[in-house]
Amino acid sequence: MTKKTNTKAAKNQAPTATHSLAHLNVLISGASVAGPALALWLARYGARVTVLEKAPALRGGGFAVDFRGEVHRTVLRRMGIWDEVHRRQTHMGRQTLVEADDTERVDLPAFLMSGDVEIFRGDLSRILYEATEDRVEYIFGDSVASLTEDSEGVAVTFDRGAPRRFDLVVGADGLHSHTRRLAFGDESRYLRFQGYYVAGFDVPNHLGLDRTARIYSEPGRTLMLSNYGADPAVAGVGLVFDSERLDYDRHDVEEQKKILTDRFAGMGWPHAARALEGLESAGDLYFDAIAQIHVDRLSQGRVVLLGDAGYGATMGGIGTGTALVCAYVLAGELAAARGDHRVAYAAYEAEIRDYAKGCQKISGNAGPFLAPPTERKLRGRDRTYRVLSSRFVAGFFKKLTEKAASDLVLKDYAPCGDRAGRPGADYPSRNRQP
Ligand SMILES: Cc1cc2nc3c(=O)[nH]c(=O)nc-3n(C[C@H](O)[C@H](O)[C@H](O)COP(=O)(O)OP(=O)(O)OC[C@H]3O[C@@H](n4cnc5c(N)ncnc54)[C@H](O)[C@@H]3O)c2cc1C
């Protein structure tokens, strides 16, 4: 495995030859970020790709995600979505921690929170979908019911659709991956709960926030109201709370709303009650545990895990960039191995395992920092924020995450037939780079 922070080394590397994957028929479960990103690459290599999404349509919602460092930048460029991501980036300004009476306690400058470029997860997902929809089959509102592998491929049955066969199956269905459950075993073996929950939804922008956020914390719970500049009428609500592990139905949105209403009842900040009122009619609620996924291996026969399904970390900050980088590597290794999944999956795992682990590690557990459990820890958190808001210290802090995000020498998977090894040079794409 080649692993180093030196991005110059990548530029000097000989390109890795790739081959057409026209003979491959691949099923990807999950149409958020990792799934459509892999679909983009596999379709460019000529594979027939089906992306299956349980939700009835492409899911919006979620907080902003960001990209940082040379490796993320290179992958965005090679994917051909650099311009579009920049065009739809967020424009967050300062974020302010407030007291219960709304007086301002600490100001966090914009440069502290976002990476090189920040975008809403839902917008990124849509960009990837739009870049692939003409070349990739998308099926919404269905889920895999069973996977049966034989020497020729995988027989797949669905909850709704007719059974089909595929050469390979990719689980890009997130932290609670259904594919992982079917092929690797129960989630309890892989998911490490970190003692916190997080939620996000949109409400009317009652405070008239304009590219700013106001954050209010009480011991063990935090509520943030923000407007990132896209729609002046809409504010995002972010909630984080500490908790024992909750037993709830992840598909029952009403139950999740009730949990949130109970946990945030009686918050001292006057704007909290109004924000929570909006929960009732919130269309796209994101609610999940803060948790990490640790698997022993990323593939099982013809089934392989990508993104959060294999190495996820909620609120990790760089998990989305990791998913894009790993999608690039998985597709590249498949094309380099002429579609031989045994060779390609082993190479994918060797290439990205330490990288993905490093990104997970730097993510740590954001919960105690976002919603400190005691008044004393809360004041300590605020003091840390004050120190971090100095440009010098913030720069150091940002460099740490950037280092993890860049800690991989990216191979150049030369497009089939491009002997010069110019990455992406002869791929058909509607989102070409200048
Ligand atoms: C709506 C939404 C909001 C999010 N908001 C945040 C956030 O605010 N903060 C944060 O840290 N992370 C958030 N995430 C997770 C974040 O997108 C990932 O950490 C990261 O981008 C890696 O993406 P992924 O594609 O691997 O996984 P995910 O983004 O989790 O995507 C998994 C996809 O698989 C789909 N899926 C699940 N089960 C099945 C099934 N049985 N069959 C088919 N498809 C299935 C899901 O609907 C989803 O579209 C959110 C994810 C979603 C889907």
Side-chain angles (χ1 to χ4, degrees), residues 341-387:
H341 65 278
R342 281 167 294 248
V343 175
Y345 287 177
Y348 159 67
E349 178 135 10
E351 281 296 311
I352 64 94
R353 189 159 186 109
D354 286 357
Y355 174 69
K357 285 239 167 263
C359 294
Q360 246 186 348
K361 196 166 168 205
I362 199 82
S363 303
N365 178 4
F369 196 69
L370 294 170
T374 63
E375 189 63 36
R376 196 171 62 80
K377 288 188 171 159
L378 213 155
R379 298 291 156 183
R381 185 274 312 259
D382 293 356
R383 279 195 296 279
T384 309
Y385 265 140
R386 258 186 218 108
V387 176

Side-chain angles (χ1 to χ4, degrees), residues 28-37 51-65 121-122 124-125 128 139-145 159 171-179 181-182 198-200 250-251 284-290 306-324:
I28 300 173
S29 175
S32 171
V33 172
V51 180
L52 179 73
E53 168 60 49
K54 190 179 171 79
L58 200 66
R59 295 178 67 184
F63 297 119
V65 297
R121 186 213 63 88
L124 176 66
S125 184
L128 294 169
I139 300 172
F140 290 96
D142 206 349
S143 176
V144 170
D159 286 351
D173 38 9
L175 214 62
H176 306 283
S177 170
H178 180 61
T179 311
R181 190 173 304 120
L182 290 174
V198 57
R250 281 193 313 100
H251 305 294
D284 223 331
L285 174 69
Y286 167 70
F287 181 90
D288 211 335
I290 296 190
L306 176 70
D308 276 10
Y311 26 83
T314 328
M315 302 299 287
I318 50 178
T320 303
T322 310
L324 289 197

Side-chain angles (χ1 to χ4, degrees), residues 19-350:
H19 307 274
S20 166
L21 295 178
H23 60 293
L24 273 193
N25 186 13
V26 183
L27 174 68
I28 300 173
S29 175
S32 171
V33 172
L38 180 70
L40 182 146
W41 284 110
L42 291 180
R44 282 185 190 174
Y45 291 122
R48 277 165 293 143
V49 184
T50 301
V51 180
L52 179 73
E53 168 60 49
K54 190 179 171 79
L58 200 66
R59 295 178 67 184
F63 297 119
V65 297
D66 66 51
F67 299 102
R68 49 188 76 198
E70 183 58 27
V71 168
H72 286 183
R73 285 196 291 273
T74 302
V75 169
L76 287 176
R77 285 202 187 90
R78 290 183 184 175
M79 291 178 81
I81 60 169
W82 173 270
D83 283 348
E84 199 55 19
V85 166
H86 280 77
R87 200 177 67 73
R88 295 169 78 163
Q89 68 181 298
T90 63
H91 295 281
M92 177 49 100
R94 72 189 178 111
Q95 307 185 17
T96 308
L97 302 183
V98 296
E99 302 281 0
D101 63 2
D102 211 31
T103 53
E104 301 188 352
R105 199 194 271 186
V106 187
D107 246 357
L108 309 169
F111 64 81
L112 183 61
M113 306 310 277
S114 40
D116 300 342
V117 58
E118 186 181 64
I119 183 168
F120 280 115
R121 186 213 63 88
D123 288 344
L124 176 66
S125 184
R126 180 144 295 278
I127 289 171
L128 294 169
Y129 171 72
E130 286 171 0
T132 50
E133 62 176 324
D134 60 346
R135 286 171 282 170
V136 166
E137 178 191 22
Y138 279 88
I139 300 172
F140 290 96
D142 206 349
S143 176
V144 170
S146 70
L147 298 169
T148 311
E149 184 169 334
D150 55 44
S151 58
E152 301 294 310
V154 188
V156 182
T157 64
F158 299 91
D159 286 351
R160 291 163 173 241
R164 287 169 66 172
R165 285 188 67 83
F166 294 89
D167 298 306
L168 305 176
V169 174
V170 182
D173 38 9
L175 214 62
H176 306 283
S177 170
H178 180 61
T179 311
R180 191 184 59 225
R181 190 173 304 120
L182 290 174
F184 293 70
D186 194 72
E187 174 170 301
S188 56
R189 290 165 59 185
Y190 309 113
L191 186 136
R192 294 189 195 159
F193 174 59
Q194 294 182 300
Y196 281 81
Y197 285 85
V198 57
F201 56 98
D202 287 342
V203 293
N205 188 3
H206 295 303
L207 290 183
L209 299 170
D210 181 12
R211 296 151 212 245
T212 55
R214 293 182 92 71
I215 304 163
Y216 174 70
S217 294
E218 290 175 354
R221 55 185 186 171
T222 285
L223 188 151
M224 173 168 113
L225 272 168
S226 61
N227 171 277
Y228 282 76
D231 183 347
V234 175
V237 181
L239 303 173
V240 180
F241 63 96
D242 70 354
S243 172
E244 69 289 359
R245 204 173 184 141
L246 298 173
D247 184 18
Y248 68 99
D249 178 352
R250 281 193 313 100
H251 305 294
D252 186 342
V253 176
E254 292 313 312
E255 186 182 359
Q256 293 162 27
K257 288 182 177 177
K258 169 132 184 28
I259 292 170
L260 292 169
T261 308
D262 291 348
R263 295 282 169 154
F264 283 82
M267 239 196 163
W269 191 38
H271 302 301
R274 195 148 190 208
L276 289 162
E277 270 167 33
L279 184 56
E280 205 180 321
S281 53
D284 223 331
L285 174 69
Y286 167 70
F287 181 90
D288 211 335
I290 296 190
Q292 291 197 349
I293 295 299
H294 294 268
V295 294
D296 304 330
R297 50 199 303 241
L298 290 168
S299 64
Q300 184 69 45
R302 291 173 179 267
V303 181
V304 68
L305 302 176
L306 176 70
D308 276 10
Y311 26 83
T314 328
M315 302 299 287
I318 50 178
T320 303
T322 310
L324 289 197
V325 170
C326 295
Y328 167 80
V329 173
L330 176 56
E333 291 300 339
L334 277 165
R338 299 174 194 269
D340 182 335
H341 65 278
R342 281 167 294 248
V343 175
Y345 287 177
Y348 159 67
E349 178 135 10

